């Protein structure tokens, strides 16, 4: 089953690549099954077992997600967008769009609202599978450490006072209606103008999304040794005035100084555990002597965690002068 999680991840990534490159004609079950070397029947059955949905339903919803971004971010005609994303007509696209998002493409273009956009599944999930020790460690890079001043901004997020770590956070959030991972990530993906946004809607953090840890006496004491509340959200400009999802909260984060622990790109499948150990070690053993700083655990200060294997693994933790 481990290998099939990787195979389905290959299909999911290929779908996004084809849509982004305008190569929609390649998005057939025949083409994708041939890439894996299995029959269409076997590929379809495995896809449903792992993803929880039919291949054709996933493909249709993913095309709709990319089409919504085109409606939002371009002035191209609705018909051209519909045809480019595999819909036979303006009417067919409008019906599918309204069924998925509760409004027509024209209505959305006139007044974009937060919608549950994300439909990309990530079947190869180290938290779900408990993986991370697979293969040889190949990384040779170390952890970069530096100080930065981050301007004032907003942090839009959901918060949990009982979670310990990423997987436990989402497990607890899934018990709250409208607070599960797919819904929250989808809503955040649809918000334009996020800070740190690299474009598209691939891995969570790559679209500006991140874990946050707010220092809070009401939260549990985490591995960093102080009480904190686990959060998940996006950073927004301080003057952001767009509509926000009702099940999320927003806080103003004043300008502040931070220390950054950053590891460069790494292989998700073979190096994740080793890089995690390096990051924990770097933070635990960092010597603040002669820097004039120390970690700042003042209530209300926020630390951010970005996990983007293609670019970096990064912790951004607040500091204060001593």
């Amino acid at each position: 089953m481990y290998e099939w999680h990787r195979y389905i991840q290959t299909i999911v990534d290929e779908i996004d690549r084809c849509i982004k490159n305008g190569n929609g004609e390649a998005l057939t079950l025949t083409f994708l099954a041939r890439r894996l070397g299995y029959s269409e029947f076997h590929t379809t059955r495995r896809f449903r077992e792992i993803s929880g949905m039919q291949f054709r339903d996933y493909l249709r919803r993913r095309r709709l997600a990319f089409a919504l971004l085109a409606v939002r971010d371009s002035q191209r005609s609705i018909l051209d967008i519909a045809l480019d994303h595999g819909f036979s007509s303006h009417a067919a696209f409008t019906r599918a769009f309204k069924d998925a998002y509760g409004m027509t493409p024209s209505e959305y273009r006139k007044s974009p609202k937060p919608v549950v956009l994300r439909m990309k599944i990530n079947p190869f999930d180290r938290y779900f599978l408990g993986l991370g020790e697979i293969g040889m460690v190949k990384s040779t890079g170390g952890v970069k450490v530096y100080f930065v001043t981050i301007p004032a901004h907003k942090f839009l997020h959901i918060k949990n006072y009982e979670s310990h770590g990423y997987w436990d956070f989402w497990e607890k959030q899934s018990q709250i209606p409208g607070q599960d991972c797919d819904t929250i990530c989808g809503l955040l993906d649809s918000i334009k103008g996020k800070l740190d946004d690299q474009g598209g809607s691939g891995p969570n953090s790559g679209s500006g999304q991140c874990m946050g840890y707010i220092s809070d006496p009401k939260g549990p004491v985490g591995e960093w040794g102080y009480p904190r509340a686990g959060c998940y959200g996006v950073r927004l400009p301080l003057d952001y005035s767009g509509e926000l999802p009702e099940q999320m909260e927003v806080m103003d984060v004043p300008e502040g100084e931070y220390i950054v622990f950053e590891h460069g790109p790494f292989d998700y499948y073979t190096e994740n555990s080793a890089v995690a150990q390096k990051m924990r070690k770097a933070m635990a053993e960092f010597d603040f002597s002669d820097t004039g700083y120390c970690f700042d655990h003042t209530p209300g200060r926020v630390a951010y965690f970005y996990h983007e294997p293609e670019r970096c693994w990064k912790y951004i933790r607040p500091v204060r002068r001593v």
Side-chain angles (χ1 to χ4, degrees):
M1 184 57 75
Y2 160 75
E3 287 300 325
W4 267 101
H5 277 80
R6 296 194 68 169
Y7 291 156
I8 300 306
Q9 187 71 59
T10 298
I11 288 179
V12 167
D13 293 341
E14 183 70 14
I15 287 171
D16 274 19
R17 187 188 69 79
C18 288
I19 294 176
K20 290 176 181 177
N21 294 338
N23 190 24
E25 63 272 12
L27 288 176
T28 65
L29 182 58
T30 302
F31 169 77
L32 295 169
R34 189 179 298 130
R35 274 208 61 188
L36 299 182
Y38 287 91
S39 69
E40 293 179 36
F41 173 78
H42 195 54
T43 301
T44 301
R45 185 164 63 86
R46 286 297 197 184
F47 190 95
R48 184 172 184 177
E49 287 176 358
I50 292 172
S51 71
M53 68 179 73
Q54 296 278 10
F55 170 80
R56 64 175 179 273
D57 292 335
Y58 175 76
L59 179 58
R60 179 172 172 274
R61 293 175 187 180
R62 196 62 182 149
R63 278 174 160 154
L64 271 172
F66 276 90
L68 181 140
L69 293 176
V71 171
R72 187 191 71 184
D73 297 339
S74 76
Q75 294 304 312
R76 298 177 60 224
S77 73
I78 301 297
L79 177 59
D80 285 345
I81 293 172
L83 297 177
D84 284 351
H85 289 85
F87 294 90
S88 60
S89 66
H90 186 294
F93 176 54
T94 297
R95 282 195 303 272
F97 194 99
K98 188 169 184 178
D99 286 344
Y101 304 122
M103 66 192 91
T104 67
S106 299
E107 291 169 341
Y108 179 75
R109 174 170 277 176
K110 290 177 183 176
S111 181
K113 302 178 185 297
V115 298
V116 181
L117 175 64
R118 178 175 296 278
M119 279 309 303
K120 181 173 183 179
I121 57 173
N122 290 289
F124 196 96
D125 190 326
R126 69 187 184 282
Y127 297 103
F128 177 70
L129 297 174
L131 303 175
E133 299 289 349
I134 301 168
M136 299 296 291
V137 175
K138 301 175 183 176
S139 179
T140 56
V143 178
K144 237 185 349 181
V145 183
Y146 53 96
F147 293 87
V148 296
T149 298
I150 296 181
H153 57 277
K154 294 182 184 295
F155 182 41
L156 174 67
H157 62 280
I158 54 172
K159 183 189 301 181
N160 190 298
Y161 283 103
E162 300 175 356
S163 62
H164 294 273
Y166 176 92
W167 175 243
D168 187 53
F169 177 87
W170 284 120
E171 189 171 47
K172 287 182 168 60
Q173 291 303 124
S174 68
Q175 307 303 311
I176 306 171
Q179 297 261 323
D180 60 280
C181 182
D182 284 345
T183 299
I184 294 300
C185 291
L187 288 168
L188 294 175
D189 242 1
S190 74
I191 295 175
K192 188 176 182 178
K194 306 182 285 289
L195 300 175
D196 311 311
D197 194 345
Q198 299 295 318
S201 55
N204 294 349
S205 300
S207 55
Q209 302 181 27
C210 62
M211 284 294 293
Y213 299 98
I214 302 176
S215 181
D216 191 323
K218 294 184 292 185
V221 176
E223 62 179 315
W224 295 344
Y226 67 93
R228 63 189 191 184
C231 305
Y232 191 85
V234 293
R235 296 170 61 241
L236 297 171
L238 193 62
D239 61 355
Y240 184 86
S241 59
E243 188 170 343
L244 300 174
E246 60 181 12
Q247 66 266 62
M248 307 187 75
E249 55 185 285
V250 65
M251 64 181 289
D252 288 340
V253 180
E255 179 179 295
E257 294 179 292
Y258 297 78
I259 185 171
V260 181
F261 297 86
E262 179 179 341
H263 191 287
F266 59 95
D267 184 83
Y268 176 89
Y269 301 111
T270 63
E271 301 179 274
N272 194 79
S273 180
V275 174
Q277 292 174 17
K278 287 183 181 180
M279 296 296 285
R280 285 195 292 268
K281 188 173 188 292
M283 289 190 291
E285 298 180 357
F286 183 75
D287 185 0
F288 279 98
S289 301
D290 302 322
T291 67
Y293 288 98
C294 67
F295 286 125
D296 186 3
H297 303 151
T298 303
R301 293 222 63 183
V302 187
Y304 297 110
F305 164 48
Y306 292 87
H307 182 266
E308 309 171 47
E310 298 83 2
R311 292 193 293 276
C312 66
W313 183 316
K314 186 185 300 186
Y315 284 102
I316 305 172
R317 297 182 59 179
V319 295
R320 60 179 175 84
R321 294 187 180 273
V322 294

